Amino acid sequence: MKKYISAFASALVLISCGKKQNEENKNAEDKSISVIKLTTEQVKNAGLETGNPTLRNIQEVLQLQGTVTVPPKSVVSISIPLGGYVKSTNLIAGMNVQKGQVLAVLEDMQFIELQQDYLMAKEKFELAQNEYKRQKELNTNKASSDKVLEQITTEMRTQRITMSSLEHKLTLLGINPKKLTVSTISNTIKVISPINGLVSKVNVNVGKYVNPTDMLFELIDKKDIVLTLNAFEKDVASLSVGQTVMAFANNSDTKKYPAKIAFINQSLNGDRAAEIICKVNVYNPSLLPGLFINAEVEVGNQKALTIPEDAVVRWQGKFYVFIDIGNNQFQMVEVKSGVKNEGFCQVASNELNNSSKIVVKNAYTLLMSAMNQDEQ
């Protein structure tokens, strides 16, 4: 039993010594990489340059993503009030059309019947109108009874209602009733584009019969596009209507499109994000509906300690700068990296102030030296 107790005690001593040794090695490691000492020649060859942190106005930039979309009022579904057969159409999805352009020609017996009914109603109305004038004159001279005048008045009004109703139906089909005569009756109608836009969908072909409920074409008014961006709930409070947004496509971050926030949806979606609707200042054909878009919004402006971005190095998931402590010695100090703007980076550290002398050029050379010293 004493033998086992002795062995257990020895093991505890070994473990304790091992932990102590590891802590000493770790401390030695941290110490070895915290200060780098170079010769004058090494400093010269490395091209190190030093400078001081500066206080600058830092604008925090919020990154957003979304798509180019078209508001519902700018998406037009083309259909007809009556069914018919497609006689001709040259449209292909992706084509641009002009307002008043013929999209398709449809034909059907119904079109003839409707024009016929209108012309007949028009003739009956004119006949009833003439009879009304005659009966009114006779009634004035007491040569006709009031009852006859009332009957012909009712007939005239009835024919007027019928004619007016058929007139509106013809207008819906794109037929001008004022120009319709017996000689101009046609079995076809033309489907006309109501806007200048892009053809996004074509659902017909020549010979197909379309019903009144069928959508023939879908047109998009591209000039009325908007940017629909997603902002997470933590960022929504930083945004407001009227803020300027700089948008750019995924394949090019150099060409930016200015826009303004028009609406902010206060209801969050399943991803805990709110939709931000932005109107583009100037329409650009490159902004195709459905295009994925990135955007930057400046949401803050405050003074902060900044250094050139090249002065900050990253190692083992943390950010560091090198302070020149004299005699060609440089101390590696951990910092918190913040907003980056115009080549400068916001940093925060208790060991840094605007009078600190830090390496602003070729800082990564010092990091390599620190790693080499650590390996040695």
Side-chain angles (χ1 to χ4, degrees), residues 168-198:
H168 282 85
K169 289 181 179 179
L170 289 174
T171 304
L172 286 174
L173 290 175
I175 300 173
N176 188 348
K178 298 186 184 317
K179 295 182 179 181
L180 182 62
T181 62
V182 175
S183 60
T184 59
I185 292 178
S186 174
N187 65 333
T188 63
I189 61 170
K190 296 177 181 179
V191 181
I192 306 299
S193 172
I195 62 168
N196 297 328
L198 173 75

Side-chain angles (χ1 to χ4, degrees), residues 185-254:
I185 292 178
S186 174
N187 65 333
T188 63
I189 61 170
K190 296 177 181 179
V191 181
I192 306 299
S193 172
I195 62 168
N196 297 328
L198 173 75
V199 180
S200 59
K201 292 181 182 178
V202 177
N203 295 331
V204 299
N205 54 270
V206 175
K208 181 178 179 179
Y209 183 84
V210 293
N211 295 298
T213 56
D214 294 341
M215 181 183 72
L216 282 64
F217 311 101
E218 183 181 83
L219 308 181
I220 292 176
D221 186 356
K222 296 190 298 180
K223 292 187 177 180
D224 201 23
I225 60 171
V226 296
L227 308 180
T228 302
L229 307 173
N230 294 313
F232 291 108
E233 56 182 327
K234 66 181 180 64
D235 299 322
V236 175
S238 302
L239 303 173
S240 60
V241 174
Q243 276 182 300
T244 298
V245 174
M246 299 303 294
F248 55 92
N250 286 341
N251 58 357
S252 175
D253 59 355
T254 55

Side-chain angles (χ1 to χ4, degrees), residues 31-40 42-43 48 50 321-332 357-359 366 373:
K31 186 176 180 180
S32 66
I33 63 172
S34 63
V35 177
I36 300 96
K37 186 173 183 178
L38 303 177
T39 64
T40 304
Q42 286 176 324
V43 172
L48 302 181
T50 58
V321 297
F322 292 95
I323 300 178
D324 186 352
I325 57 178
N327 297 324
N328 297 329
Q329 295 185 85
F330 304 91
Q331 184 177 4
M332 189 173 177
K357 192 176 181 182
I358 64 169
V359 176
L366 282 177
Q373 286 185 20

Side-chain angles (χ1 to χ4, degrees), residues 139-157:
N139 183 264
T140 302
N141 298 327
K142 302 301 181 181
S144 174
S145 66
D146 292 341
K147 184 177 181 180
V148 174
L149 180 62
E150 289 176 1
Q151 289 176 341
I152 193 62
T153 301
T154 301
E155 176 66 20
M156 181 188 68
R157 290 174 178 173

Side-chain angles (χ1 to χ4, degrees), residues 75-324:
V75 180
V76 181
S77 296
I78 306 297
S79 58
I80 58 168
L82 293 176
Y85 293 91
V86 180
K87 184 177 182 179
S88 65
T89 182
N90 297 318
L91 289 194
I92 299 174
M95 290 178 61
N96 289 297
V97 293
Q98 302 298 316
K99 185 177 181 179
Q101 180 178 333
V102 177
L103 305 179
V105 176
L106 275 67
E107 61 180 354
D108 196 84
M109 294 294 292
Q110 295 181 83
F111 307 150
I112 299 175
E113 294 172 359
L114 185 59
Q115 294 170 80
Q116 175 187 335
D117 292 344
Y118 170 75
L119 291 175
M120 291 177 64
K122 184 178 179 181
E123 292 290 337
K124 289 180 180 180
F125 169 70
E126 290 176 354
L127 179 62
Q129 190 176 40
N130 292 332
E131 181 63 18
Y132 167 77
K133 291 178 181 178
R134 191 176 72 84
Q135 290 295 332
K136 186 176 182 181
E137 185 178 349
L138 290 173
N139 183 264
T140 302
N141 298 327
K142 302 301 181 181
S144 174
S145 66
D146 292 341
K147 184 177 181 180
V148 174
L149 180 62
E150 289 176 1
Q151 289 176 341
I152 193 62
T153 301
T154 301
E155 176 66 20
M156 181 188 68
R157 290 174 178 173
T158 301
Q159 292 302 327
R160 179 186 293 163
I161 293 171
T162 303
M163 184 186 69
S164 178
S165 174
L166 292 169
E167 184 177 325
H168 282 85
K169 289 181 179 179
L170 289 174
T171 304
L172 286 174
L173 290 175
I175 300 173
N176 188 348
K178 298 186 184 317
K179 295 182 179 181
L180 182 62
T181 62
V182 175
S183 60
T184 59
I185 292 178
S186 174
N187 65 333
T188 63
I189 61 170
K190 296 177 181 179
V191 181
I192 306 299
S193 172
I195 62 168
N196 297 328
L198 173 75
V199 180
S200 59
K201 292 181 182 178
V202 177
N203 295 331
V204 299
N205 54 270
V206 175
K208 181 178 179 179
Y209 183 84
V210 293
N211 295 298
T213 56
D214 294 341
M215 181 183 72
L216 282 64
F217 311 101
E218 183 181 83
L219 308 181
I220 292 176
D221 186 356
K222 296 190 298 180
K223 292 187 177 180
D224 201 23
I225 60 171
V226 296
L227 308 180
T228 302
L229 307 173
N230 294 313
F232 291 108
E233 56 182 327
K234 66 181 180 64
D235 299 322
V236 175
S238 302
L239 303 173
S240 60
V241 174
Q243 276 182 300
T244 298
V245 174
M246 299 303 294
F248 55 92
N250 286 341
N251 58 357
S252 175
D253 59 355
T254 55
K255 189 173 183 180
K256 297 188 176 182
Y257 310 96
K260 287 190 179 298
I261 296 178
F263 307 100
I264 298 176
N265 190 344
Q266 300 297 327
S267 177
L268 302 179
N269 58 26
D271 296 326
R272 307 299 300 169
E275 286 189 343
I276 311 299
I277 308 300
C278 307
K279 290 187 176 181
V280 182
N281 293 357
V282 179
Y283 166 72
N284 192 297
S286 301
L287 295 174
L288 300 175
L291 179 71
F292 285 101
I293 208 83
N294 296 309
E296 297 176 343
V297 189
E298 294 179 356
V299 295
N301 193 343
Q302 58 182 353
K303 279 203 175 280
L305 197 66
T306 64
I307 60 176
E309 289 186 42
D310 292 341
V312 183
V313 297
R314 183 169 183 171
W315 185 58
Q316 293 184 347
K318 297 180 180 180
F319 296 95
Y320 297 89
V321 297
F322 292 95
I323 300 178
D324 186 352

Side-chain angles (χ1 to χ4, degrees), residues 345-359:
C345 178
Q346 177 187 0
V347 291
S349 172
N350 293 331
E351 301 184 47
L352 277 186
N353 53 52
N354 56 359
S355 62
S356 300
K357 192 176 181 182
I358 64 169
V359 176

